[in-house]
Amino acid sequence: MATSTTSLAAALKILIIFIFAGWVSLWLLKPTQLWTRKWKQLEDSANNTIFGYYGLSFAVYTFPIIAIAIIGLLLLDLKAGYQSRSARSPSKSNFFSNPLVVNSTVGILSSVEILVAFLFMVFLAWTYYSRISADFKKLMPYKSLKLNTWQLKYHRIATRFGLLSEACLALLLLPILRGLTVFRILGIQFEASVRYHTWVGTAMILFATIHGASTLLVWGVSHHIQDEIWKWQNTGRIYFAGEITLVVGLVIWVTSLPQIRRRQFEIFYYTHHLYAVFLVFFLFHCGDRHFYTVFPGIFLFSLDKLIQIIQSSPKTCMVSARIFPGKAVELILPKDPGLKYNPTSVIFLKIPTISHLQWHSFSIISSSRADDDILSVIIKCEGWWTESLYDLIHAELEKTEDKRKGIPVAIEGPYGPASLDFLRYDTLLLVAGGSGITPFLSILTEADSATSKSRFPSRIQLVYVIKKAQDFCLLHSISRLLLNQSTDSFHLNLKLYVTQETQAGVGIGELLNEFFKVRNLHVNSVCSNYAAYGPESPSWMAAIAGFCSITFLIFIICFNHIIFPSGKRSKMDKEKTPSWVVDLLLIAAFVLALACSASVAAILRWRRLRKGIPQISHREIEPLDLSSTEARNALEAHEVHFGGRPNFKDIFGKLRNESGASNVGVLVCGPESMKESVAIACQQESDCFKVSAKRTESCLTFHTLNFTL
C-alpha cells in the first residue's frame, strides 16, 4: 500500500513538472513571431468550434496553473497520509535551503530564491527585447497621433513596459493563496511567501508607472494629452481605464510600505481591498485577450477568498482567556476533536465586537495531539486592534462569574506545514525574540506529546530574547518542560536574555514566580453552539476548484453564443460591439461560476458542522515543585542573562561541541535584525558551506518563521 501511494505521489509530481514546463515555455514563446502566427491559426480554428477563442484562451493561458493547484492539492492530501506514518529524517543536502545572502535591504536569500529571481529577470529582459526589436523593425504610425520617429519609438518602449507589468501581475496573487496555494507543494507556507508577493508587486508597479508616465509624456510633447487622457474608446486600449488602474495600484503600493503598514495598519488593510477596482479596470484597459494571461492568479485568489468566507462561518466563541503581565493575552478557543494541525500553524481571527472587517493572523501555541478540544493563541498588545481586545477581556474579568459572557470569534484556518520534516533533526536550536516564541511553544508541546512513531529531536535548545523579565510569562505553557518533569523523549535547555533590565542573582527559579501573576478568565456561558472545524480537506478543495473552472467555461461559452449567435468574435463588427461589453460578459461568467462554487462549498461546510461546544476543563497553572533535587538540577542547567544580547556564533559553537550531532536544525522567529544575525552566524559556523566538508561534520540547516504577518 505504501509503495503504491509513493508511486502515485511521484506520478503526480512528474505531471506537475510537465504542466509547469509547458506553461513556462508558453511565456517564452509568446513574444516571438512564430507564436503570433501559430496563435492566429489556432484562434481561427477555435472560432469554428463550440468553445470559440474564449475556450482556447482559457485552456492555454489560464488552466495550466489551475491544474497545477488541483494536482498539488491532491498530492498534499496523499502525502499527509503516508508521511504521518514515516520517520524519515530531513535531507542532509541543505545547500539550497540555507542562507546565501544576508542583507538588511533584501533580507535573507537562499540559493534557490536568488536563482529563481535571476531567471525571472532574464525572462523579463527576453520578453522586452523580443517585443521591442520586432516593433522597431516595423514602426506603424498611429492614425490618431501624429508622432515623429523618436516619439513613435518612445511610445512603443512605453507600451512594452506595460507587458512587463502584465507578466508580474500574472504571478502577483499566487503567493498569497491560503487554501488553494500552489506554494505549499514546494513546502513554502503562506506567511513566508508573502514577501514574494511584495517583491512582484513592487516590480509590477515600477513597470506600470514607467508605462503610464512615458505614455503621458509622449502625449504631452505631441500636444495630444487633452484628447487622449479622457478617451474611453470602443475598441483597443481604453486609456482612461488604464489611468484609473495605475492610480489605484500606486495607492495600494504606497499604503503597503512598512512605514505605513506598521504604524497605521488600518490604512494598509482597507486600501488593499481596492484590488478589486484595480483588476476590473485592468481588464477594461487591456481587454479580455490579455486578461486571460493574468487570469489564473485572479481565478484562484477569488475562489480562495470565497472559501475563506464560508469556512469562517459560523462564528465560535472564546471559552477562556489569560492576561499576562506586559499586556499580552492568551485566547483559548473550542475546536472539533477531528481538527488536526501541525506545529507552527497559523490561524486568522476576527473579533466582530472590535471590527467586522479586520482579520489578523496569529501562531497557534497548542498542539492538536495534546489538546483535542481547544486551540490557543497568544496575542501581544501592540496596536489599536490588540489593545481593544485586551480591554475587552479585561472588562469581562472585572465582572462577576455569573455575568461573564464569551466573546464571539470568527476563525479561519489553521494553515500550516504539510509535514514535520523540518523538525526531524538530531538537535534543534530555537531562537525567538519577544512574541516570536509563539510558534515554538507549539513545537515543544508537540514534541512532548510525540509518539514513538514520530521522530523528533532528542535535544532542543531554546534561546529566548525579551526586553523585560515579565515577558518570561509567555513560557507558562511549557513550565513543566523547563523542569523536565513531563517528558522523557527529549531534553530542553533554555538560554534567556533580558535586554533592558539588569538584575543580579536572578535565575529561572525566581522568574518562575512570574507565572503566578497571570490572571485567568473563565466563561460559564458561551455565545455560539459551534467549535472551530478548520478548512476542507485538500481533495475537496481541488474538487471545488475543478468545478469552478468547468462552470466558468460553460457560462462564457453560453454568453458567447447567446449574445453573439455566430460565435465568431473575430468577425464581429467591433464598432457595434465595444470591447468593454465583452469584458463585462467575462466578469459576469466568472461571478456566476463563483456563486455556483460557493453553493457547493457552503453545502459541504454545513454538512460537516455539528452543534455543541465540547466540554472543556479549565486548565490552571499548577504549582511547580521546586524543592526536589531533580528540579533544582534542571533549573541550574538553564541560563539567564540580563542587560545583553546573545552571541549566536558562540552559541552555535558550544551547541556543536556539546551535542556532537551532525544534523542541527536552526529555527528563528523574531525581528528581522535577529533573523539576519542568526543567518550570518549559521553561515560562518555550518560545515555545509565548506567545499571540503565531510559528511560526518555538523551541518546547520536554517529556517525562518513568522508569528504574525
Side-chain angles (χ1 to χ4, degrees):
M1 181 66 180
T3 304
S4 61
T5 303
T6 305
S7 301
L8 180 58
L12 292 177
K13 290 179 182 178
I14 294 173
L15 183 58
I16 289 174
I17 293 173
F18 178 78
I19 296 175
F20 181 72
W23 186 71
V24 172
S25 301
L26 181 152
W27 277 91
L28 292 175
L29 290 173
K30 188 182 174 185
T32 63
Q33 293 299 314
L34 173 64
W35 176 263
T36 302
R37 292 195 301 269
K38 293 294 183 180
W39 183 251
K40 288 181 179 179
Q41 295 174 7
L42 289 173
E43 278 192 335
D44 292 338
S45 301
N47 278 328
N48 296 320
T49 66
I50 189 174
F51 296 102
Y53 98 97
Y54 299 98
L56 177 66
S57 297
F58 182 79
V60 173
Y61 288 117
T62 302
F63 191 70
I65 294 298
I66 299 176
I68 289 175
I70 293 173
I71 299 170
L73 289 168
L74 296 175
L75 178 62
L76 290 174
D77 211 11
L78 194 64
K79 290 174 65 177
Y82 73 82
Q83 281 195 348
S84 62
R85 299 186 294 270
S86 68
R88 185 166 52 88
S89 62
S91 172
K92 295 188 179 183
S93 178
N94 301 302
F95 178 76
F96 290 107
S97 62
N98 272 307
L100 184 64
V101 173
V102 181
N103 184 274
S104 58
T105 303
V106 299
I108 303 170
L109 302 178
S110 67
S111 302
V112 171
E113 290 173 327
I114 294 174
L115 177 62
V116 172
F118 173 74
L119 292 177
F120 184 63
M121 288 188 289
V122 170
F123 159 72
L124 293 178
W126 155 252
T127 300
Y128 191 79
Y129 170 77
S130 300
R131 293 290 192 182
I132 205 67
S133 60
D135 289 342
F136 283 0
K137 289 178 181 178
K138 48 178 183 179
L139 286 174
M140 300 292 292
Y142 294 92
K143 295 180 180 180
S144 59
L145 297 176
K146 296 181 180 179
L147 305 178
N148 57 36
T149 303
W150 80 265
Q151 293 171 348
L152 189 59
K153 287 185 176 181
Y154 190 66
H155 190 269
R156 300 309 300 166
I157 290 173
T159 302
R160 296 314 177 189
F161 268 106
L163 291 180
L164 298 185
S165 180
E166 177 184 303
C168 293
L169 181 56
L171 301 175
L172 179 64
L173 299 176
L174 296 179
I176 55 174
L177 299 175
R178 298 178 190 172
L180 297 173
T181 177
V182 295
F183 278 73
R184 287 180 63 196
I185 305 171
L186 304 174
I188 303 173
Q189 296 308 303
F190 171 78
E191 67 274 13
S193 62
V194 167
R195 66 172 181 166
Y196 306 141
H197 169 76
T198 303
W199 294 348
V200 175
T202 301
M204 182 196 71
I205 290 298
L206 173 63
F207 295 139
T209 302
I210 296 174
H211 166 66
S214 299
T215 302
L216 291 174
L217 178 61
V218 171
W219 290 346
V221 297
S222 61
H223 307 291
H224 290 90
I225 192 168
Q226 293 292 337
D227 299 328
E228 301 293 331
I229 196 170
W230 306 109
K231 185 177 291 186
W232 188 289
Q233 60 272 33
N234 286 335
T235 59
R237 302 292 177 267
I238 299 177
Y239 297 136
F240 185 61
E243 293 153 14
I244 295 176
T245 304
L246 178 59
V247 171
V248 173
L250 286 171
V251 170
I252 294 175
W253 180 77
V254 169
T255 55
S256 63
L257 293 174
Q259 295 84 348
I260 297 178
R261 186 180 71 248
R262 293 171 183 169
R263 298 178 182 177
Q264 300 290 335
F265 179 82
E266 287 74 23
I267 296 177
F268 154 77
Y269 184 82
Y270 292 121
T271 55
H272 235 65
H273 285 76
L274 292 174
Y275 65 81
V277 178
F278 176 87
L279 294 174
V280 168
F281 281 95
F282 174 82
L283 170 60
F284 288 147
H285 173 59
C286 68
D288 61 320
R289 291 176 181 268
H290 284 268
F291 194 73
Y292 278 110
T293 61
V294 304
F295 194 42
I298 298 171
F299 181 96
L300 293 174
F301 177 79
S302 302
L303 184 59
D304 195 55
K305 274 288 184 184
L306 198 60
I307 293 175
Q308 292 168 24
I309 295 172
I310 295 172
Q311 179 212 317
S312 60
S313 180
K315 300 177 183 64
T316 185
C317 191
M318 181 200 75
V319 294
S320 60
R322 292 191 179 98
I323 297 182
F324 301 104
K327 301 195 73 173
V329 297
E330 177 184 352
L331 298 186
I332 300 173
L333 306 165
K335 81 172 186 67
D336 184 78
L339 173 58
K340 302 298 179 182
Y341 51 86
N342 283 328
T344 74
S345 292
V346 173
I347 61 172
F348 289 78
L349 299 181
K350 180 178 71 172
I351 312 291
T353 309
I354 300 174
S355 173
H356 288 281
L357 298 176
Q358 286 194 35
W359 290 86
H360 294 262
S361 63
F362 302 99
S363 292
I364 302 176
I365 67 167
S366 56
S367 166
S368 60
R369 188 195 300 268
D371 298 308
D372 288 333
D373 300 322
I374 65 167
L375 59 85
S376 304
V377 295
I378 289 180
I379 302 172
K380 194 73 180 291
C381 301
E382 296 176 339
W384 170 80
W385 191 90
T386 52
E387 291 280 356
S388 300
L389 176 61
Y390 179 87
D391 294 339
L392 193 62
I393 295 176
H394 195 272
E396 289 294 325
L397 190 62
E398 298 300 322
K399 298 178 181 178
T400 58
E401 289 193 15
D402 58 327
K403 293 184 178 180
R404 293 175 183 172
K405 295 182 179 180
I407 298 174
V409 181
I411 300 177
E412 182 201 326
Y415 303 111
S419 71
L420 299 179
D421 286 348
F422 72 108
L423 296 179
R424 291 168 182 158
Y425 294 95
D426 300 326
T427 300
L428 200 61
L429 174 62
L430 309 177
V431 182
S435 300
I437 191 63
T438 51
F440 296 151
L441 296 178
S442 65
I443 290 176
L444 295 171
T445 307
E446 182 82 8
D448 184 28
S449 61
T451 62
S452 58
K453 294 182 180 180
S454 301
R455 184 176 185 270
F456 274 81
S458 59
R459 179 185 179 89
I460 299 179
Q461 184 171 110
L462 174 61
V463 178
Y464 188 29
V465 184
I466 55 180
K467 294 180 179 179
K468 298 181 179 180
Q470 63 184 7
D471 293 333
F472 180 74
C473 286
L474 299 185
L475 298 181
H476 82 282
S477 62
I478 60 167
S479 58
R480 308 202 69 82
L481 292 180
L482 296 175
L483 299 178
N484 292 320
Q485 292 182 352
S486 62
T487 181
D488 296 324
S489 58
F490 70 94
H491 175 72
L492 174 64
N493 176 253
L494 171 66
K495 294 181 183 292
L496 181 69
Y497 292 83
V498 184
T499 61
Q500 294 185 1
E501 290 182 359
T502 302
Q503 299 184 33
V506 177
I508 295 294
E510 290 77 11
L511 290 176
L512 286 174
N513 294 325
E514 294 286 335
F515 291 164
F516 299 104
K517 298 179 182 179
V518 177
R519 303 177 66 187
N520 294 280
L521 169 65
H522 303 311
V523 179
N524 295 322
S525 61
V526 295
C527 53
S528 172
N529 291 323
Y530 295 96
Y533 279 81
E536 301 293 339
S537 68
S539 295
W540 277 114
M541 298 281 279
I544 294 172
F547 174 78
C548 187
S549 59
I550 294 172
T551 308
F552 167 77
L553 190 58
I554 292 174
F555 278 120
I556 199 69
I557 291 171
C558 291
F559 285 153
N560 181 33
H561 287 269
I562 292 174
I563 306 300
F564 313 113
S566 66
K568 299 179 181 180
R569 168 83 198 281
S570 59
K571 295 183 180 181
M572 292 188 301
D573 185 354
K574 294 185 178 181
E575 293 183 359
K576 294 182 180 180
T577 309
S579 59
W580 58 268
V581 173
V582 180
D583 299 338
L584 288 176
L585 294 180
L586 190 154
I587 294 174
F590 186 43
V591 170
L592 289 174
L594 288 177
C596 294
S597 302
S599 302
V600 174
I603 292 172
L604 291 174
R605 184 67 179 173
W606 285 100
R607 288 186 63 181
R608 283 186 63 198
L609 292 179
R610 297 190 300 270
K611 280 192 175 183
I613 297 290
Q615 293 293 327
I616 300 172
S617 58
H618 298 296
R619 298 181 302 169
E620 300 288 352
I621 302 176
E622 299 179 4
L624 300 176
D625 182 12
L626 306 180
S627 60
S628 66
T629 303
E630 293 181 358
R632 289 195 299 269
N633 292 337
L635 292 179
E636 290 176 359
H638 303 304
E639 300 177 15
V640 181
H641 304 272
F642 283 90
R645 299 180 183 276
N647 186 323
F648 294 112
K649 186 176 181 179
D650 291 343
I651 291 174
F652 287 163
K654 291 179 181 179
L655 180 64
R656 292 170 55 189
N657 296 332
E658 293 172 358
S659 64
S662 60
N663 196 9
V664 180
V666 179
L667 280 68
V668 57
C669 183
E672 291 300 320
S673 57
M674 171 184 286
K675 293 180 180 179
E676 293 167 8
S677 299
V678 175
I680 293 173
C682 194
Q683 281 182 322
Q684 296 172 346
E685 293 298 315
S686 178
D687 292 325
C688 293
F689 294 95
K690 300 176 182 178
V691 178
S692 60
K694 299 178 181 179
R695 298 181 65 89
T696 56
E697 292 181 336
S698 63
C699 182
L700 304 175
T701 306
F702 181 83
H703 301 272
T704 61
L705 300 175
N706 293 324
F707 59 92
T708 186
L709 299 181

